[in-house]
Structures are given as structure tokens and as C-alpha cells.
Amino acid sequence: GGGAGAAGCPLPSGASECGPCAADSCGGRAAMMAAEADSFFCFTALMSEVRDHFCSKLDHTALGITARIGRFEGLLRSKDAQLASALHRLGVAPTFYAFRWISLLMTQELDLPDVLRLWDSLLADSRRFDLLLYVCVSVVLSLRAPLLSAPDFSTAIKALQRPDAWPPLHALLVSALALYQRDHAPKEHGKENDEADLVLGEMMGHAREAYPG
């Protein structure tokens, strides 16, 4: 049988110690195992906080997905009552688009690198799922012009379900964070308020380019 080399790695039969290449390989495997363990821990922690979204018995309680969608709807109305009313008039309820955004944490809408970037922000924030609601609201606000001009339900829902026409994720995150700070510390974040207005203006311009008609 083989012995043990650098970092306690098993050696091939007849080998007495790890050479430089073998040591690098051992270290690489150890780093990968550590990263896998950390990733699994973060994923488990995240899923433990959203598990109530998938329990049908809790759907209509304060812990269930219906309550989360209700909070999203209230937040959207507080940020843009005209837009929220227009969507309501067209029959575009949040359950038709925000349900999937919230319950699946945007994994169906974003490419993997953007999902990782979003989840990194969610994991880093103690109110991570409040931040998710603000990201969702920022998406809708960025589509204000095409949504207000939408003649019917079909046109509006297609705009909301076209992630390729959304602004870049970093712009959505900047807007979401600024809006969040505006709500939670309005006297301390005047700069962020200006930044939110600027970013929202840029995102709406992006939407107008994506929907020129």
C-alpha cells in the first residue's frame, strides 16, 4: 500500500512522498473539498429560510408565499402607484410573474453567473429576502414605459417575462439597495436616493430601447 504525502494525501503504491506536482494536486483537491462544503452550507442555510414557500399548508399564513407576494405588491404600489394600478387594470397580478421570481430566487430568469451574483448579495444581507423583493420591484420599475403603454394583458406579461430585455443585474442591484436604504434610513442616505433615481432613469432608458414600439 502507499503512504501519506503532503496534506495527508494517499500516495500511489511504492511512492514515498509527494513531489511538487503531486503536492499541488493534493492541495487543489483539499481546496475543492472545502469549497464544496462551504457551498453546501450556504445553500442549506438559504433553503432553510425559503422552505415555507413550498409548504402548501402555510400558503395563506404570514409565513407562506402568498404573504410574500402580498408584500411585493404593496412595495410596488408604494414605489409607483400609477404603474401598480395599470397592471391591476390589465389583470396582471403578481402571481403571474413575481411568484416564480420570489419562490425560485430568480434562478429561472437569470444566467448562472448572475444567479451567483444575486445569491451572493442575498447571503451577505441579514434581511436577504427583503432585498429580493426590492430586486423584483426594481425589475418592474425598469419596465415602466412599456408596461404603461401595454394595451392588454398579453403584451404586459410578455414584457415582464423577457429577462433578455431587462437591465444588467448590477444596475438592478444598485437600484434595489438604494430603494431599500431609502425606506429604512431616509435621513442618512440622501446620496443613495439620488443614486436610485439616476439608476432607475438609466434602466427605464434601457427598457425603451428594448421596446422601441
mmCIF file with all atom_site columns, all heavy atoms in Angstrom, residues 62-88:
data_model
loop_
_atom_site.group_PDB
_atom_site.id
_atom_site.type_symbol
_atom_site.label_atom_id
_atom_site.label_alt_id
_atom_site.label_comp_id
_atom_site.label_asym_id
_atom_site.label_entity_id
_atom_site.label_seq_id
_atom_site.pdbx_PDB_ins_code
_atom_site.Cartn_x
_atom_site.Cartn_y
_atom_site.Cartn_z
_atom_site.occupancy
_atom_site.B_iso_or_equiv
_atom_site.pdbx_formal_charge
_atom_site.auth_seq_id
_atom_site.auth_comp_id
_atom_site.auth_asym_id
_atom_site.auth_atom_id
_atom_site.pdbx_PDB_model_num
ATOM 1   N N   . ALA A 1 62 ? -48.841 34.125 7.389   1.00 0.00 ? 62 ALA A N   1
ATOM 2   C CA  . ALA A 1 62 ? -47.836 35.182 7.311   1.00 0.00 ? 62 ALA A CA  1
ATOM 3   C C   . ALA A 1 62 ? -46.480 34.651 6.857   1.00 0.00 ? 62 ALA A C   1
ATOM 4   O O   . ALA A 1 62 ? -45.612 35.421 6.448   1.00 0.00 ? 62 ALA A O   1
ATOM 5   C CB  . ALA A 1 62 ? -47.700 35.860 8.676   1.00 0.00 ? 62 ALA A CB  1
ATOM 6   N N   . LEU A 1 63 ? -46.289 33.336 6.930   1.00 0.00 ? 63 LEU A N   1
ATOM 7   C CA  . LEU A 1 63 ? -45.009 32.739 6.562   1.00 0.00 ? 63 LEU A CA  1
ATOM 8   C C   . LEU A 1 63 ? -44.978 32.236 5.121   1.00 0.00 ? 63 LEU A C   1
ATOM 9   O O   . LEU A 1 63 ? -43.902 31.921 4.607   1.00 0.00 ? 63 LEU A O   1
ATOM 10  C CB  . LEU A 1 63 ? -44.689 31.568 7.494   1.00 0.00 ? 63 LEU A CB  1
ATOM 11  C CG  . LEU A 1 63 ? -44.584 31.888 8.990   1.00 0.00 ? 63 LEU A CG  1
ATOM 12  C CD1 . LEU A 1 63 ? -44.371 30.601 9.772   1.00 0.00 ? 63 LEU A CD1 1
ATOM 13  C CD2 . LEU A 1 63 ? -43.436 32.859 9.240   1.00 0.00 ? 63 LEU A CD2 1
ATOM 14  N N   . GLY A 1 64 ? -46.136 32.126 4.495   1.00 0.00 ? 64 GLY A N   1
ATOM 15  C CA  . GLY A 1 64 ? -46.214 31.492 3.187   1.00 0.00 ? 64 GLY A CA  1
ATOM 16  C C   . GLY A 1 64 ? -45.924 32.404 2.016   1.00 0.00 ? 64 GLY A C   1
ATOM 17  O O   . GLY A 1 64 ? -45.718 33.615 2.160   1.00 0.00 ? 64 GLY A O   1
ATOM 18  N N   . ILE A 1 65 ? -45.947 31.813 0.825   1.00 0.00 ? 65 ILE A N   1
ATOM 19  C CA  . ILE A 1 65 ? -45.606 32.531 -0.398  1.00 0.00 ? 65 ILE A CA  1
ATOM 20  C C   . ILE A 1 65 ? -46.644 33.606 -0.717  1.00 0.00 ? 65 ILE A C   1
ATOM 21  O O   . ILE A 1 65 ? -46.310 34.654 -1.281  1.00 0.00 ? 65 ILE A O   1
ATOM 22  C CB  . ILE A 1 65 ? -45.465 31.535 -1.577  1.00 0.00 ? 65 ILE A CB  1
ATOM 23  C CG1 . ILE A 1 65 ? -44.946 32.248 -2.828  1.00 0.00 ? 65 ILE A CG1 1
ATOM 24  C CG2 . ILE A 1 65 ? -46.773 30.823 -1.843  1.00 0.00 ? 65 ILE A CG2 1
ATOM 25  C CD1 . ILE A 1 65 ? -43.560 32.809 -2.710  1.00 0.00 ? 65 ILE A CD1 1
ATOM 26  N N   . THR A 1 66 ? -47.906 33.372 -0.355  1.00 0.00 ? 66 THR A N   1
ATOM 27  C CA  . THR A 1 66 ? -48.942 34.372 -0.631  1.00 0.00 ? 66 THR A CA  1
ATOM 28  C C   . THR A 1 66 ? -48.651 35.678 0.099   1.00 0.00 ? 66 THR A C   1
ATOM 29  O O   . THR A 1 66 ? -48.824 36.772 -0.454  1.00 0.00 ? 66 THR A O   1
ATOM 30  C CB  . THR A 1 66 ? -50.335 33.848 -0.226  1.00 0.00 ? 66 THR A CB  1
ATOM 31  O OG1 . THR A 1 66 ? -50.598 32.636 -0.941  1.00 0.00 ? 66 THR A OG1 1
ATOM 32  C CG2 . THR A 1 66 ? -51.418 34.862 -0.548  1.00 0.00 ? 66 THR A CG2 1
ATOM 33  N N   . ALA A 1 67 ? -48.197 35.561 1.341   1.00 0.00 ? 67 ALA A N   1
ATOM 34  C CA  . ALA A 1 67 ? -47.850 36.759 2.112   1.00 0.00 ? 67 ALA A CA  1
ATOM 35  C C   . ALA A 1 67 ? -46.659 37.484 1.494   1.00 0.00 ? 67 ALA A C   1
ATOM 36  O O   . ALA A 1 67 ? -46.616 38.719 1.454   1.00 0.00 ? 67 ALA A O   1
ATOM 37  C CB  . ALA A 1 67 ? -47.545 36.381 3.561   1.00 0.00 ? 67 ALA A CB  1
ATOM 38  N N   . ARG A 1 68 ? -45.686 36.720 0.988   1.00 0.00 ? 68 ARG A N   1
ATOM 39  C CA  . ARG A 1 68 ? -44.514 37.344 0.356   1.00 0.00 ? 68 ARG A CA  1
ATOM 40  C C   . ARG A 1 68 ? -44.928 38.097 -0.905  1.00 0.00 ? 68 ARG A C   1
ATOM 41  O O   . ARG A 1 68 ? -44.454 39.207 -1.168  1.00 0.00 ? 68 ARG A O   1
ATOM 42  C CB  . ARG A 1 68 ? -43.485 36.271 -0.006  1.00 0.00 ? 68 ARG A CB  1
ATOM 43  C CG  . ARG A 1 68 ? -42.901 35.526 1.154   1.00 0.00 ? 68 ARG A CG  1
ATOM 44  C CD  . ARG A 1 68 ? -42.057 36.401 2.047   1.00 0.00 ? 68 ARG A CD  1
ATOM 45  N NE  . ARG A 1 68 ? -40.893 36.931 1.342   1.00 0.00 ? 68 ARG A NE  1
ATOM 46  C CZ  . ARG A 1 68 ? -40.025 37.785 1.889   1.00 0.00 ? 68 ARG A CZ  1
ATOM 47  N NH1 . ARG A 1 68 ? -40.216 38.215 3.120   1.00 0.00 ? 68 ARG A NH1 1
ATOM 48  N NH2 . ARG A 1 68 ? -38.992 38.218 1.205   1.00 0.00 ? 68 ARG A NH2 1
ATOM 49  N N   . ILE A 1 69 ? -45.801 37.494 -1.684  1.00 0.00 ? 69 ILE A N   1
ATOM 50  C CA  . ILE A 1 69 ? -46.274 38.162 -2.902  1.00 0.00 ? 69 ILE A CA  1
ATOM 51  C C   . ILE A 1 69 ? -47.078 39.410 -2.535  1.00 0.00 ? 69 ILE A C   1
ATOM 52  O O   . ILE A 1 69 ? -46.981 40.448 -3.208  1.00 0.00 ? 69 ILE A O   1
ATOM 53  C CB  . ILE A 1 69 ? -47.109 37.196 -3.751  1.00 0.00 ? 69 ILE A CB  1
ATOM 54  C CG1 . ILE A 1 69 ? -46.216 36.087 -4.306  1.00 0.00 ? 69 ILE A CG1 1
ATOM 55  C CG2 . ILE A 1 69 ? -47.814 37.923 -4.890  1.00 0.00 ? 69 ILE A CG2 1
ATOM 56  C CD1 . ILE A 1 69 ? -46.958 35.003 -5.048  1.00 0.00 ? 69 ILE A CD1 1
ATOM 57  N N   . GLY A 1 70 ? -47.846 39.325 -1.452  1.00 0.00 ? 70 GLY A N   1
ATOM 58  C CA  . GLY A 1 70 ? -48.586 40.489 -0.988  1.00 0.00 ? 70 GLY A CA  1
ATOM 59  C C   . GLY A 1 70 ? -47.663 41.619 -0.580  1.00 0.00 ? 70 GLY A C   1
ATOM 60  O O   . GLY A 1 70 ? -47.936 42.800 -0.859  1.00 0.00 ? 70 GLY A O   1
ATOM 61  N N   . ARG A 1 71 ? -46.554 41.282 0.057   1.00 0.00 ? 71 ARG A N   1
ATOM 62  C CA  . ARG A 1 71 ? -45.571 42.306 0.433   1.00 0.00 ? 71 ARG A CA  1
ATOM 63  C C   . ARG A 1 71 ? -44.946 42.927 -0.805  1.00 0.00 ? 71 ARG A C   1
ATOM 64  O O   . ARG A 1 71 ? -44.709 44.137 -0.861  1.00 0.00 ? 71 ARG A O   1
ATOM 65  C CB  . ARG A 1 71 ? -44.491 41.688 1.320   1.00 0.00 ? 71 ARG A CB  1
ATOM 66  C CG  . ARG A 1 71 ? -44.951 41.328 2.721   1.00 0.00 ? 71 ARG A CG  1
ATOM 67  C CD  . ARG A 1 71 ? -43.775 40.929 3.593   1.00 0.00 ? 71 ARG A CD  1
ATOM 68  N NE  . ARG A 1 71 ? -42.804 42.020 3.694   1.00 0.00 ? 71 ARG A NE  1
ATOM 69  C CZ  . ARG A 1 71 ? -41.577 41.876 4.164   1.00 0.00 ? 71 ARG A CZ  1
ATOM 70  N NH1 . ARG A 1 71 ? -41.160 40.672 4.551   1.00 0.00 ? 71 ARG A NH1 1
ATOM 71  N NH2 . ARG A 1 71 ? -40.755 42.885 4.235   1.00 0.00 ? 71 ARG A NH2 1
ATOM 72  N N   . PHE A 1 72 ? -44.651 42.091 -1.788  1.00 0.00 ? 72 PHE A N   1
ATOM 73  C CA  . PHE A 1 72 ? -44.114 42.615 -3.047  1.00 0.00 ? 72 PHE A CA  1
ATOM 74  C C   . PHE A 1 72 ? -45.101 43.588 -3.692  1.00 0.00 ? 72 PHE A C   1
ATOM 75  O O   . PHE A 1 72 ? -44.721 44.678 -4.126  1.00 0.00 ? 72 PHE A O   1
ATOM 76  C CB  . PHE A 1 72 ? -43.812 41.465 -4.005  1.00 0.00 ? 72 PHE A CB  1
ATOM 77  C CG  . PHE A 1 72 ? -43.672 41.897 -5.437  1.00 0.00 ? 72 PHE A CG  1
ATOM 78  C CD1 . PHE A 1 72 ? -42.493 42.459 -5.898  1.00 0.00 ? 72 PHE A CD1 1
ATOM 79  C CD2 . PHE A 1 72 ? -44.745 41.771 -6.321  1.00 0.00 ? 72 PHE A CD2 1
ATOM 80  C CE1 . PHE A 1 72 ? -42.369 42.887 -7.214  1.00 0.00 ? 72 PHE A CE1 1
ATOM 81  C CE2 . PHE A 1 72 ? -44.631 42.194 -7.632  1.00 0.00 ? 72 PHE A CE2 1
ATOM 82  C CZ  . PHE A 1 72 ? -43.446 42.759 -8.082  1.00 0.00 ? 72 PHE A CZ  1
ATOM 83  N N   . GLU A 1 73 ? -46.371 43.207 -3.734  1.00 0.00 ? 73 GLU A N   1
ATOM 84  C CA  . GLU A 1 73 ? -47.386 44.051 -4.362  1.00 0.00 ? 73 GLU A CA  1
ATOM 85  C C   . GLU A 1 73 ? -47.517 45.383 -3.631  1.00 0.00 ? 73 GLU A C   1
ATOM 86  O O   . GLU A 1 73 ? -47.632 46.444 -4.255  1.00 0.00 ? 73 GLU A O   1
ATOM 87  C CB  . GLU A 1 73 ? -48.720 43.314 -4.383  1.00 0.00 ? 73 GLU A CB  1
ATOM 88  C CG  . GLU A 1 73 ? -49.796 44.011 -5.201  1.00 0.00 ? 73 GLU A CG  1
ATOM 89  C CD  . GLU A 1 73 ? -51.035 43.161 -5.360  1.00 0.00 ? 73 GLU A CD  1
ATOM 90  O OE1 . GLU A 1 73 ? -51.226 42.235 -4.547  1.00 0.00 ? 73 GLU A OE1 1
ATOM 91  O OE2 . GLU A 1 73 ? -51.795 43.403 -6.317  1.00 0.00 ? 73 GLU A OE2 1
ATOM 92  N N   . GLY A 1 74 ? -47.489 45.331 -2.302  1.00 0.00 ? 74 GLY A N   1
ATOM 93  C CA  . GLY A 1 74 ? -47.565 46.561 -1.523  1.00 0.00 ? 74 GLY A CA  1
ATOM 94  C C   . GLY A 1 74 ? -46.352 47.445 -1.735  1.00 0.00 ? 74 GLY A C   1
ATOM 95  O O   . GLY A 1 74 ? -46.462 48.679 -1.811  1.00 0.00 ? 74 GLY A O   1
ATOM 96  N N   . LEU A 1 75 ? -45.182 46.818 -1.851  1.00 0.00 ? 75 LEU A N   1
ATOM 97  C CA  . LEU A 1 75 ? -43.958 47.581 -2.081  1.00 0.00 ? 75 LEU A CA  1
ATOM 98  C C   . LEU A 1 75 ? -43.983 48.251 -3.450  1.00 0.00 ? 75 LEU A C   1
ATOM 99  O O   . LEU A 1 75 ? -43.612 49.433 -3.591  1.00 0.00 ? 75 LEU A O   1
ATOM 100 C CB  . LEU A 1 75 ? -42.751 46.645 -1.975  1.00 0.00 ? 75 LEU A CB  1
ATOM 101 C CG  . LEU A 1 75 ? -41.364 47.286 -2.125  1.00 0.00 ? 75 LEU A CG  1
ATOM 102 C CD1 . LEU A 1 75 ? -41.140 48.344 -1.054  1.00 0.00 ? 75 LEU A CD1 1
ATOM 103 C CD2 . LEU A 1 75 ? -40.278 46.209 -2.048  1.00 0.00 ? 75 LEU A CD2 1
ATOM 104 N N   . LEU A 1 76 ? -44.430 47.525 -4.458  1.00 0.00 ? 76 LEU A N   1
ATOM 105 C CA  . LEU A 1 76 ? -44.525 48.098 -5.793  1.00 0.00 ? 76 LEU A CA  1
ATOM 106 C C   . LEU A 1 76 ? -45.486 49.283 -5.799  1.00 0.00 ? 76 LEU A C   1
ATOM 107 O O   . LEU A 1 76 ? -45.197 50.332 -6.381  1.00 0.00 ? 76 LEU A O   1
ATOM 108 C CB  . LEU A 1 76 ? -44.990 47.041 -6.788  1.00 0.00 ? 76 LEU A CB  1
ATOM 109 C CG  . LEU A 1 76 ? -45.234 47.525 -8.223  1.00 0.00 ? 76 LEU A CG  1
ATOM 110 C CD1 . LEU A 1 76 ? -43.954 48.102 -8.835  1.00 0.00 ? 76 LEU A CD1 1
ATOM 111 C CD2 . LEU A 1 76 ? -45.776 46.390 -9.091  1.00 0.00 ? 76 LEU A CD2 1
ATOM 112 N N   . ARG A 1 77 ? -46.608 49.143 -5.123  1.00 0.00 ? 77 ARG A N   1
ATOM 113 C CA  . ARG A 1 77 ? -47.587 50.236 -5.090  1.00 0.00 ? 77 ARG A CA  1
ATOM 114 C C   . ARG A 1 77 ? -47.019 51.455 -4.380  1.00 0.00 ? 77 ARG A C   1
ATOM 115 O O   . ARG A 1 77 ? -47.283 52.598 -4.762  1.00 0.00 ? 77 ARG A O   1
ATOM 116 C CB  . ARG A 1 77 ? -48.869 49.755 -4.405  1.00 0.00 ? 77 ARG A CB  1
ATOM 117 C CG  . ARG A 1 77 ? -50.003 50.758 -4.448  1.00 0.00 ? 77 ARG A CG  1
ATOM 118 C CD  . ARG A 1 77 ? -51.315 50.122 -3.993  1.00 0.00 ? 77 ARG A CD  1
ATOM 119 N NE  . ARG A 1 77 ? -51.741 49.077 -4.917  1.00 0.00 ? 77 ARG A NE  1
ATOM 120 C CZ  . ARG A 1 77 ? -52.387 49.304 -6.059  1.00 0.00 ? 77 ARG A CZ  1
ATOM 121 N NH1 . ARG A 1 77 ? -52.663 50.544 -6.426  1.00 0.00 ? 77 ARG A NH1 1
ATOM 122 N NH2 . ARG A 1 77 ? -52.739 48.297 -6.830  1.00 0.00 ? 77 ARG A NH2 1
ATOM 123 N N   . SER A 1 78 ? -46.220 51.227 -3.340  1.00 0.00 ? 78 SER A N   1
ATOM 124 C CA  . SER A 1 78 ? -45.642 52.357 -2.612  1.00 0.00 ? 78 SER A CA  1
ATOM 125 C C   . SER A 1 78 ? -44.587 53.090 -3.443  1.00 0.00 ? 78 SER A C   1
ATOM 126 O O   . SER A 1 78 ? -44.364 54.285 -3.257  1.00 0.00 ? 78 SER A O   1
ATOM 127 C CB  . SER A 1 78 ? -45.024 51.878 -1.293  1.00 0.00 ? 78 SER A CB  1
ATOM 128 O OG  . SER A 1 78 ? -43.817 51.159 -1.516  1.00 0.00 ? 78 SER A OG  1
ATOM 129 N N   . LYS A 1 79 ? -43.949 52.364 -4.360  1.00 0.00 ? 79 LYS A N   1
ATOM 130 C CA  . LYS A 1 79 ? -42.911 52.974 -5.193  1.00 0.00 ? 79 LYS A CA  1
ATOM 131 C C   . LYS A 1 79 ? -43.479 53.617 -6.454  1.00 0.00 ? 79 LYS A C   1
ATOM 132 O O   . LYS A 1 79 ? -42.932 54.607 -6.950  1.00 0.00 ? 79 LYS A O   1
ATOM 133 C CB  . LYS A 1 79 ? -41.862 51.930 -5.587  1.00 0.00 ? 79 LYS A CB  1
ATOM 134 C CG  . LYS A 1 79 ? -41.128 51.301 -4.423  1.00 0.00 ? 79 LYS A CG  1
ATOM 135 C CD  . LYS A 1 79 ? -40.494 52.366 -3.545  1.00 0.00 ? 79 LYS A CD  1
ATOM 136 C CE  . LYS A 1 79 ? -39.842 51.752 -2.313  1.00 0.00 ? 79 LYS A CE  1
ATOM 137 N NZ  . LYS A 1 79 ? -39.371 52.795 -1.371  1.00 0.00 ? 79 LYS A NZ  1
ATOM 138 N N   . ASP A 1 80 ? -44.546 53.050 -6.990  1.00 0.00 ? 80 ASP A N   1
ATOM 139 C CA  . ASP A 1 80 ? -45.132 53.594 -8.214  1.00 0.00 ? 80 ASP A CA  1
ATOM 140 C C   . ASP A 1 80 ? -46.599 53.181 -8.288  1.00 0.00 ? 80 ASP A C   1
ATOM 141 O O   . ASP A 1 80 ? -46.946 52.167 -8.895  1.00 0.00 ? 80 ASP A O   1
ATOM 142 C CB  . ASP A 1 80 ? -44.377 53.088 -9.444  1.00 0.00 ? 80 ASP A CB  1
ATOM 143 C CG  . ASP A 1 80 ? -44.694 53.883 -10.701 1.00 0.00 ? 80 ASP A CG  1
ATOM 144 O OD1 . ASP A 1 80 ? -45.834 54.354 -10.833 1.00 0.00 ? 80 ASP A OD1 1
ATOM 145 O OD2 . ASP A 1 80 ? -43.796 54.024 -11.561 1.00 0.00 ? 80 ASP A OD2 1
ATOM 146 N N   . ALA A 1 81 ? -47.457 53.990 -7.661  1.00 0.00 ? 81 ALA A N   1
ATOM 147 C CA  . ALA A 1 81 ? -48.874 53.655 -7.600  1.00 0.00 ? 81 ALA A CA  1
ATOM 148 C C   . ALA A 1 81 ? -49.507 53.624 -8.985  1.00 0.00 ? 81 ALA A C   1
ATOM 149 O O   . ALA A 1 81 ? -50.382 52.796 -9.263  1.00 0.00 ? 81 ALA A O   1
ATOM 150 C CB  . ALA A 1 81 ? -49.605 54.665 -6.706  1.00 0.00 ? 81 ALA A CB  1
ATOM 151 N N   . GLN A 1 82 ? -49.063 54.510 -9.874  1.00 0.00 ? 82 GLN A N   1
ATOM 152 C CA  . GLN A 1 82 ? -49.633 54.548 -11.222 1.00 0.00 ? 82 GLN A CA  1
ATOM 153 C C   . GLN A 1 82 ? -49.345 53.259 -11.974 1.00 0.00 ? 82 GLN A C   1
ATOM 154 O O   . GLN A 1 82 ? -50.230 52.677 -12.619 1.00 0.00 ? 82 GLN A O   1
ATOM 155 C CB  . GLN A 1 82 ? -49.082 55.730 -12.011 1.00 0.00 ? 82 GLN A CB  1
ATOM 156 C CG  . GLN A 1 82 ? -49.646 55.844 -13.421 1.00 0.00 ? 82 GLN A CG  1
ATOM 157 C CD  . GLN A 1 82 ? -48.989 56.946 -14.237 1.00 0.00 ? 82 GLN A CD  1
ATOM 158 O OE1 . GLN A 1 82 ? -48.006 57.551 -13.805 1.00 0.00 ? 82 GLN A OE1 1
ATOM 159 N NE2 . GLN A 1 82 ? -49.521 57.215 -15.424 1.00 0.00 ? 82 GLN A NE2 1
ATOM 160 N N   . LEU A 1 83 ? -48.112 52.785 -11.873 1.00 0.00 ? 83 LEU A N   1
ATOM 161 C CA  . LEU A 1 83 ? -47.736 51.552 -12.549 1.00 0.00 ? 83 LEU A CA  1
ATOM 162 C C   . LEU A 1 83 ? -48.469 50.354 -11.956 1.00 0.00 ? 83 LEU A C   1
ATOM 163 O O   . LEU A 1 83 ? -48.963 49.485 -12.687 1.00 0.00 ? 83 LEU A O   1
ATOM 164 C CB  . LEU A 1 83 ? -46.226 51.350 -12.454 1.00 0.00 ? 83 LEU A CB  1
ATOM 165 C CG  . LEU A 1 83 ? -45.641 50.091 -13.087 1.00 0.00 ? 83 LEU A CG  1
ATOM 166 C CD1 . LEU A 1 83 ? -46.035 49.988 -14.556 1.00 0.00 ? 83 LEU A CD1 1
ATOM 167 C CD2 . LEU A 1 83 ? -44.126 50.076 -12.924 1.00 0.00 ? 83 LEU A CD2 1
ATOM 168 N N   . ALA A 1 84 ? -48.549 50.298 -10.636 1.00 0.00 ? 84 ALA A N   1
ATOM 169 C CA  . ALA A 1 84 ? -49.255 49.195 -9.982  1.00 0.00 ? 84 ALA A CA  1
ATOM 170 C C   . ALA A 1 84 ? -50.722 49.173 -10.388 1.00 0.00 ? 84 ALA A C   1
ATOM 171 O O   . ALA A 1 84 ? -51.303 48.106 -10.639 1.00 0.00 ? 84 ALA A O   1
ATOM 172 C CB  . ALA A 1 84 ? -49.121 49.323 -8.464  1.00 0.00 ? 84 ALA A CB  1
ATOM 173 N N   . SER A 1 85 ? -51.339 50.349 -10.483 1.00 0.00 ? 85 SER A N   1
ATOM 174 C CA  . SER A 1 85 ? -52.742 50.429 -10.888 1.00 0.00 ? 85 SER A CA  1
ATOM 175 C C   . SER A 1 85 ? -52.930 49.990 -12.339 1.00 0.00 ? 85 SER A C   1
ATOM 176 O O   . SER A 1 85 ? -53.919 49.322 -12.680 1.00 0.00 ? 85 SER A O   1
ATOM 177 C CB  . SER A 1 85 ? -53.264 51.854 -10.705 1.00 0.00 ? 85 SER A CB  1
ATOM 178 O OG  . SER A 1 85 ? -53.264 52.225 -9.340  1.00 0.00 ? 85 SER A OG  1
ATOM 179 N N   . ALA A 1 86 ? -51.967 50.357 -13.195 1.00 0.00 ? 86 ALA A N   1
ATOM 180 C CA  . ALA A 1 86 ? -52.054 49.963 -14.604 1.00 0.00 ? 86 ALA A CA  1
ATOM 181 C C   . ALA A 1 86 ? -51.988 48.449 -14.745 1.00 0.00 ? 86 ALA A C   1
ATOM 182 O O   . ALA A 1 86 ? -52.750 47.850 -15.518 1.00 0.00 ? 86 ALA A O   1
ATOM 183 C CB  . ALA A 1 86 ? -50.930 50.623 -15.395 1.00 0.00 ? 86 ALA A CB  1
ATOM 184 N N   . LEU A 1 87 ? -51.104 47.815 -13.995 1.00 0.00 ? 87 LEU A N   1
ATOM 185 C CA  . LEU A 1 87 ? -51.002 46.357 -14.041 1.00 0.00 ? 87 LEU A CA  1
ATOM 186 C C   . LEU A 1 87 ? -52.282 45.710 -13.509 1.00 0.00 ? 87 LEU A C   1
ATOM 187 O O   . LEU A 1 87 ? -52.767 44.715 -14.056 1.00 0.00 ? 87 LEU A O   1
ATOM 188 C CB  . LEU A 1 87 ? -49.789 45.891 -13.237 1.00 0.00 ? 87 LEU A CB  1
ATOM 189 C CG  . LEU A 1 87 ? -48.417 46.257 -13.818 1.00 0.00 ? 87 LEU A CG  1
ATOM 190 C CD1 . LEU A 1 87 ? -47.312 45.866 -12.851 1.00 0.00 ? 87 LEU A CD1 1
ATOM 191 C CD2 . LEU A 1 87 ? -48.207 45.586 -15.165 1.00 0.00 ? 87 LEU A CD2 1
ATOM 192 N N   . HIS A 1 88 ? -52.817 46.279 -12.452 1.00 0.00 ? 88 HIS A N   1
ATOM 193 C CA  . HIS A 1 88 ? -54.065 45.753 -11.884 1.00 0.00 ? 88 HIS A CA  1
ATOM 194 C C   . HIS A 1 88 ? -55.206 45.873 -12.890 1.00 0.00 ? 88 HIS A C   1
ATOM 195 O O   . HIS A 1 88 ? -56.021 44.949 -13.050 1.00 0.00 ? 88 HIS A O   1
ATOM 196 C CB  . HIS A 1 88 ? -54.406 46.507 -10.603 1.00 0.00 ? 88 HIS A CB  1
ATOM 197 C CG  . HIS A 1 88 ? -55.686 46.065 -9.968  1.00 0.00 ? 88 HIS A CG  1
ATOM 198 N ND1 . HIS A 1 88 ? -55.792 44.876 -9.272  1.00 0.00 ? 88 HIS A ND1 1
ATOM 199 C CD2 . HIS A 1 88 ? -56.920 46.642 -9.934  1.00 0.00 ? 88 HIS A CD2 1
ATOM 200 C CE1 . HIS A 1 88 ? -57.029 44.735 -8.834  1.00 0.00 ? 88 HIS A CE1 1
ATOM 201 N NE2 . HIS A 1 88 ? -57.744 45.790 -9.217  1.00 0.00 ? 88 HIS A NE2 1
#
